[in-house]
Amino acid sequence: MNALLLNRQPVFSIPAILSLICLGCFLLTVSGCEQASDQKVIPESSTTVNQPEVETSVPPASQQVSQTVISDRVEGQQVAVLLEIPHQQVKPGASFPVTVKFDIAPLWEIRSLEAQPENVATQLKLELPDGFETQGDWQTPPTGRSQSADSHPVYSGQVEFQQMILVTKEAQPGEYEISSQVQYQACDEFRCLSPTQKRLHVTILVDRLNSVKE
């Protein structure tokens, strides 16, 4: 009876056992690779999403510069022009400067005062009330060279023209207006716009009670 029972027990050979062990190792290896590949997907995708946020958090250099530049020229405008005086009140016998300021956009330029033909030249014509006189000529900034092929003289960037004004002894007290007719033609490397004309003005008060003594 015992002999029969012994004969019915399954017999596992050594090659069969080794095959089972190899199969188990293979299944464990495949499972581990799948888990490892799943773990790599998360950090790769998160890095790709977060990187643009770091780049856009730093403002472009052009925005940083524009915060520090003081200008009367609005965005998209080729030229801005302004008429200024240093004081709002003067005395008879005193002199003061009148300044015309140009703010010209990058890559743009305006013609010089001596440009030909005259209708494209930059022109400054003061209109003074009674009791006011000009002293000398306009003080002009140095010119540069145009970007065009002939390299004619031009003004670019921020430039100022200044004219001295004398308040005569005969000037009566009161408020006066000083005006300037300004003409310029804005050009870039490829084209020129039509000449622009503007009339600028400032007001000034003459105080005769404290006139300048000779």
Side-chain angles (χ1 to χ4, degrees):
M1 186 68 180
N2 291 335
L4 292 175
L5 290 174
L6 289 173
N7 291 333
R8 291 180 181 177
Q9 290 180 355
V11 178
F12 295 96
S13 64
I14 293 177
I17 294 173
L18 292 175
S19 298
L20 291 174
I21 293 174
C22 292
L23 179 60
C25 292
F26 175 77
L27 293 176
L28 290 174
T29 301
V30 172
S31 175
C33 291
E34 292 177 352
Q35 292 178 358
S37 61
D38 292 339
Q39 292 175 356
K40 289 180 181 179
V41 171
I42 297 175
E44 287 178 358
S45 60
S46 61
T47 302
T48 305
V49 173
N50 292 335
Q51 183 148 5
E53 295 179 359
V54 175
E55 292 176 353
T56 55
S57 64
V58 180
S62 58
Q63 294 181 4
Q64 294 174 353
V65 172
S66 64
Q67 294 174 358
T68 61
V69 174
I70 299 174
S71 173
D72 296 306
R73 180 174 51 80
V74 299
E75 185 177 358
Q77 186 180 30
Q78 291 85 8
V79 180
V81 59
L82 182 67
L83 182 67
E84 286 187 350
I85 55 176
H87 309 292
Q88 299 300 319
Q89 182 173 319
V90 294
K91 303 174 178 61
S95 298
F96 63 94
V98 171
T99 305
V100 178
K101 295 183 176 181
F102 285 86
D103 185 3
I104 306 165
L107 304 180
W108 287 85
E109 57 193 36
I110 61 174
R111 303 291 186 113
S112 66
L113 299 183
E114 298 80 17
Q116 294 296 326
E118 186 177 352
N119 65 330
V120 300
T122 299
Q123 300 180 19
L124 309 172
K125 297 179 180 179
L126 282 177
E127 299 175 3
L128 302 177
D130 293 339
F132 291 74
E133 299 177 354
T134 60
Q135 290 184 307
D137 298 325
W138 283 97
Q139 300 177 23
T140 61
T143 58
R145 290 296 176 184
S146 174
Q147 303 174 78
S148 61
D150 62 356
S151 300
H152 57 266
V154 295
Y155 300 109
S156 59
Q158 295 182 347
V159 292
E160 298 183 2
F161 300 81
Q162 197 169 88
Q163 172 71 71
M164 293 301 299
I165 304 298
L166 171 67
V167 184
T168 66
K169 295 290 187 179
E170 295 73 28
Q172 297 299 311
E175 188 176 82
Y176 294 85
E177 180 180 278
I178 297 175
S179 301
S180 178
Q181 286 289 132
V182 178
Q183 175 180 291
Y184 59 87
Q185 184 181 43
C187 301
D188 64 7
E189 185 179 359
F190 306 103
R191 69 193 188 281
C192 287
L193 306 181
S194 299
T196 300
Q197 294 183 349
K198 293 184 178 181
R199 183 177 182 272
L200 311 174
H201 63 86
V202 292
T203 56
I204 191 167
L205 180 66
V206 174
D207 180 8
R208 194 169 181 79
L209 295 178
N210 298 309
S211 59
V212 176
K213 297 180 180 180
E214 294 183 355

